[in-house]
Amino acid sequence: MRLRYGPLLTALCLGAAFPLLWYAAWQGSQGNDLDVFQSQFLELRQRLLYAEKENKKRSQELSSTLDEIKHIVAKRINLTMNHTDDMKWKLLNLTRKLSMPLTNMYYYLPHLRENEDAVFPNVIFGQQRTGVSLVMGIPTVKREKQHYLLGTLHSLLYELPEAQKNDCVIIIFVAEVDAEYVNGVAESVKSSFPEEIQSGVLEVISPPPSYYPDLSSLKKTFGDSEDRVRWRTKQNLDYSFLMLYAQHKGTFYLQLEDDIIAKPDYIQSIKTFVAEQSQEWMILEFSQLGFIGKLFKSEDLPLIVEFFLMFYKDKPIDWLIDHLLWVKVCNPEKDAIHCEKEKAKLRIRAKPSLFQHVGIYSSLAGKMQHLKDKDFGKNVLHKAHNNPPAIVDTSLKVYQQYTLEKVYKGKDCFWASAPVAGDYIRFTFLNPLKVEKYYFKSGNMEHPGDKLFNTTVEVLPADEGLREDLVDHGSKLNYPAAKDGYVKIGAFDNGIAEGSIDQSIGKIEAFRLSVNSDSPVWAILSEVFIKASEN
């Protein structure tokens, strides 16, 4: 019986096993096909990545070629024409190649695809200075009331050593498209600082009108009004434009505003602080307020600008820079304290502050701000000297407590309303004496523009016979003499009058500073030094 059913059982087992063997073979075949498919997919992905890389490379090459063509065309333009008079300014910066791929900028600002030249500024005044250590960027816009730009420039250039002037460039970005207004600002800068414009220390640029996108329908966020959202959005675009232009000009870029004052020797202080850094940094802060006094490495500017442009419609500039630091160093799995410590390694604060905010009327219409940097401290607005005993008097109208006696005794500065022709400042010695040299300084750090202009330095010889001889017979001592016996020995130049006195003039009875023409500004006398002869 067992033998009879044995072959049958074997046949049944073989029949049951055959489908299983077939299924296993079919699955093996499918597995091989899947491996082949995955291999082909990976190969296709690699080809796509390579094609994308080559496309970017070709795009950059085309961009470079376009820049070269523009450069050749620009050379043929007659650059000797008066750009300010006819307002037909040419793009003098076409040779500047943006490090950030243009395709990226066109992605964030798609309206630029219709006008690619809108990323290049109108260079109104400038010598295209490059290769400096420090580039300073100052955006300025139209304000309803008071303007601060010229005061800011006076402060930045005040007693700046020649070597430092030769190693920096200050870019004034007039962030307006009103040609008449831009023209007015450019002319005022040129007339106030002709030497700095000529030498290349100062540049004045403006944006093409097509640079700005439509800002009329922005989304309101953080409870800000429509006007404020539009203001801060345009501000982000202004900073980005200025940074892109500045990136090739020097090693470091310092962001400033148009309503600040600077401490004396601020450039050397910045260089010293940079040299002291022993770790990698991204921002060095020389003011605690807003976006004032922020120093960047120029090589980092393309990354920073690209981040700004990604979110230019979303948040103010100072928030965006903080978010950029968060993205770079903060770990989402760590707490906020750890994040702040990591950010502090890239964002290093210098104390005391080198820049102070002085503007009251904001560029945002209707807004007033009284922001002050507590770490700035007080500027030294006068310098004391031990002057000979004298009686002081002036025809000028003294402002508040800033008397002439105080500056002579070194207690404070002298400040008066705008001088007119015929006004004077006089120091009459209690006892006539011989004077070796003199030094008078007008203006100070907080009001650098309040200087004495067209003002002469005169002395009254104690020898009446000498005075009469000078009046009757002219310049015996090579000094012009006035009818009242005073002898002209010098004049104010850029706010300062200094010199030595010919000892043959003998003892001097008095010094007089004579104003020869009306002045449009008030006058400050911040330093008086009269050194008596030791002989």
Side-chain angles (χ1 to χ4, degrees), residues 93-223:
N93 195 45
L94 293 176
T95 58
R96 298 269 165 242
K97 182 181 176 183
L98 300 178
S99 293
M100 185 180 73
L102 285 172
T103 51
N104 290 10
M105 193 169 186
Y106 296 148
Y107 178 79
Y108 306 128
L109 301 172
H111 71 284
L112 294 179
R113 297 170 187 169
E114 299 177 3
N115 191 348
E116 295 182 356
D117 285 344
V119 298
F120 298 103
N122 300 315
V123 181
I124 306 166
F125 294 121
Q127 303 299 327
Q128 295 295 294
R129 179 181 284 193
T130 58
V132 298
S133 295
L134 184 63
V135 182
M136 291 172 265
I138 304 175
T140 185
V141 296
K142 189 184 300 182
R143 297 175 189 263
E144 283 189 339
K145 295 187 178 180
Q146 192 169 353
H147 298 271
Y148 307 96
L149 176 62
L150 295 183
T152 295
L153 296 177
H154 276 295
S155 180
L156 292 172
L157 296 167
Y158 187 67
E159 295 187 330
L160 197 64
E162 201 63 30
Q164 292 182 6
K165 279 188 178 181
N166 294 333
D167 196 29
C168 75
V169 59
I170 302 173
I171 305 168
I172 300 119
F173 176 49
V174 188
E176 298 286 352
V177 296
D178 179 350
E180 184 177 355
Y181 176 79
V182 173
N183 175 53
V185 173
E187 280 298 329
S188 66
V189 172
K190 182 182 179 182
S191 61
S192 298
F193 305 96
E195 294 180 4
E196 286 78 8
I197 289 288
Q198 182 63 34
S199 66
V201 178
L202 290 180
E203 290 191 11
V204 183
I205 67 172
S206 69
S210 52
Y211 168 66
Y212 297 104
D214 181 11
L215 302 177
S216 61
S217 57
L218 296 169
K219 181 181 178 182
K220 293 196 290 186
T221 55
F222 308 111

Side-chain angles (χ1 to χ4, degrees), residues 317-327 340 343 347:
I317 197 77
D318 47 342
W319 292 14
L320 290 180
I321 199 68
D322 187 72
H323 291 336
L324 174 58
L325 295 176
W326 191 96
V327 170
E340 290 301 317
K343 287 193 295 184
R347 186 176 194 162

Side-chain angles (χ1 to χ4, degrees), residues 128-421:
Q128 295 295 294
R129 179 181 284 193
T130 58
V132 298
S133 295
L134 184 63
V135 182
M136 291 172 265
I138 304 175
T140 185
V141 296
K142 189 184 300 182
R143 297 175 189 263
E144 283 189 339
K145 295 187 178 180
Q146 192 169 353
H147 298 271
Y148 307 96
L149 176 62
L150 295 183
T152 295
L153 296 177
H154 276 295
S155 180
L156 292 172
L157 296 167
Y158 187 67
E159 295 187 330
L160 197 64
E162 201 63 30
Q164 292 182 6
K165 279 188 178 181
N166 294 333
D167 196 29
C168 75
V169 59
I170 302 173
I171 305 168
I172 300 119
F173 176 49
V174 188
E176 298 286 352
V177 296
D178 179 350
E180 184 177 355
Y181 176 79
V182 173
N183 175 53
V185 173
E187 280 298 329
S188 66
V189 172
K190 182 182 179 182
S191 61
S192 298
F193 305 96
E195 294 180 4
E196 286 78 8
I197 289 288
Q198 182 63 34
S199 66
V201 178
L202 290 180
E203 290 191 11
V204 183
I205 67 172
S206 69
S210 52
Y211 168 66
Y212 297 104
D214 181 11
L215 302 177
S216 61
S217 57
L218 296 169
K219 181 181 178 182
K220 293 196 290 186
T221 55
F222 308 111
D224 287 345
S225 66
E226 184 177 336
D227 287 341
R228 186 176 180 86
V229 171
R230 186 182 301 111
W231 170 75
R232 77 182 195 215
T233 299
K234 179 181 177 297
Q235 196 174 59
N236 291 342
L237 293 171
D238 292 342
Y239 284 124
S240 299
F241 190 96
L242 181 52
M243 286 180 166
L244 282 178
Y245 174 72
Q247 63 177 303
H248 293 289
K249 287 184 167 291
T251 307
F252 300 103
Y253 174 79
L254 179 66
Q255 185 63 62
L256 298 173
E257 293 185 6
D258 66 349
D259 55 353
I260 58 102
I261 58 173
K263 280 197 169 178
D265 210 18
Y266 68 96
I267 288 184
Q268 186 56 50
S269 298
I270 289 173
K271 289 184 177 181
T272 300
F273 191 75
V274 170
E276 291 173 350
Q277 304 311 307
S278 58
Q279 64 184 51
E280 280 298 312
W281 56 271
M282 189 170 187
I283 309 170
L284 298 183
E285 296 187 317
F286 297 96
S287 171
Q288 67 171 338
L289 298 178
F291 213 39
I292 299 172
K294 304 301 185 277
L295 186 77
F296 304 91
K297 300 171 187 173
S298 295
E299 63 187 25
D300 290 338
L301 291 180
L303 168 68
I304 294 168
V305 169
E306 185 158 10
F307 192 84
F308 287 168
L309 292 178
M310 285 182 192
F311 307 102
Y312 75 94
K313 293 185 287 189
D314 300 314
K315 292 186 177 182
I317 197 77
D318 47 342
W319 292 14
L320 290 180
I321 199 68
D322 187 72
H323 291 336
L324 174 58
L325 295 176
W326 191 96
V327 170
K328 287 184 70 69
V329 297
C330 289
N331 186 339
E333 298 179 357
K334 301 280 179 88
D335 58 19
I337 296 176
H338 178 269
C339 179
E340 290 301 317
K341 288 181 179 179
E342 291 301 307
K343 287 193 295 184
K345 295 177 182 178
L346 294 183
R347 186 176 194 162
I348 302 171
R349 179 88 166 81
K351 292 184 180 181
S353 297
L354 298 180
F355 306 97
Q356 177 65 286
H357 180 262
V358 296
I360 296 176
Y361 299 98
S362 171
S363 56
L364 175 60
K367 179 186 176 185
M368 294 183 66
Q369 51 191 11
H370 299 273
L371 299 174
K372 294 295 179 184
D373 190 332
K374 296 179 180 179
D375 293 330
F376 183 77
K378 290 186 176 181
N379 263 325
V380 178
L381 302 180
H382 69 282
K383 189 172 182 179
H385 292 283
N386 186 21
N387 292 308
I391 297 172
V392 303
D393 69 302
T394 179
S395 62
L396 293 170
K397 185 178 179 181
V398 180
Y399 176 64
Q400 295 184 356
Q401 76 275 15
Y402 302 100
T403 63
L404 186 58
E405 184 177 13
K406 285 185 176 180
V407 71
Y408 192 74
K409 293 184 176 181
K411 295 180 178 179
D412 207 336
C413 62
F414 167 68
W415 201 1
S417 55
V420 297

